[in-house]
Amino acid sequence: GIGLTAINQFSGINTVMYYSTTILMEAGFSRESAIWLAAMCCAAQLVGVIISVTSMDTIGRRATALRSCAGMVITLCLFATSFWCEGRTWD
């Protein structure tokens, strides 16, 4: 119900997506690489939204929301790992 929706909103994933280029540059990626990686993140988000919208009627809202929550956890862990690896260059 409402708790799952609140977790999705308060996770901060929208802020991370908005500042993804800056976050990736701070994590040690070059500007060009950060832009391309941010574009890939946005493309992955678009694919996920398309899959969610087309499958929501058959799978259900709760299962779709739980999947998106799991995706956010994975994404935020990857970003945290990128900061843990700060100081290394990936290019």
Side-chain angles (χ1 to χ4, degrees):
I2 193 148
L4 187 57
T5 304
I7 289 171
N8 285 339
Q9 288 300 313
F10 292 129
S11 70
I13 194 67
N14 293 331
T15 305
V16 170
M17 292 301 292
Y18 185 79
Y19 290 108
S20 59
T21 305
T22 304
I23 291 169
L24 290 165
M25 285 173 40
E26 290 290 324
F29 290 93
S30 69
R31 181 174 171 82
E32 184 177 330
S33 294
I35 291 170
W36 280 106
L37 287 169
M40 286 190 280
C41 288
C42 291
Q45 184 181 26
L46 178 64
V47 169
V49 167
I50 291 170
I51 292 170
S52 295
V53 167
T54 57
S55 65
M56 188 163 315
D57 288 336
T58 57
I59 296 173
R61 278 184 190 266
R62 181 171 171 76
T64 303
L66 286 171
R67 284 186 185 160
S68 71
C69 191
M72 286 186 304
V73 167
I74 291 167
T75 303
L76 291 172
C77 286
L78 288 173
F79 274 123
T81 302
S82 73
F83 278 108
W84 180 69
C85 295
E86 186 176 0
R88 299 179 185 167
T89 56
W90 302 94
D91 298 325

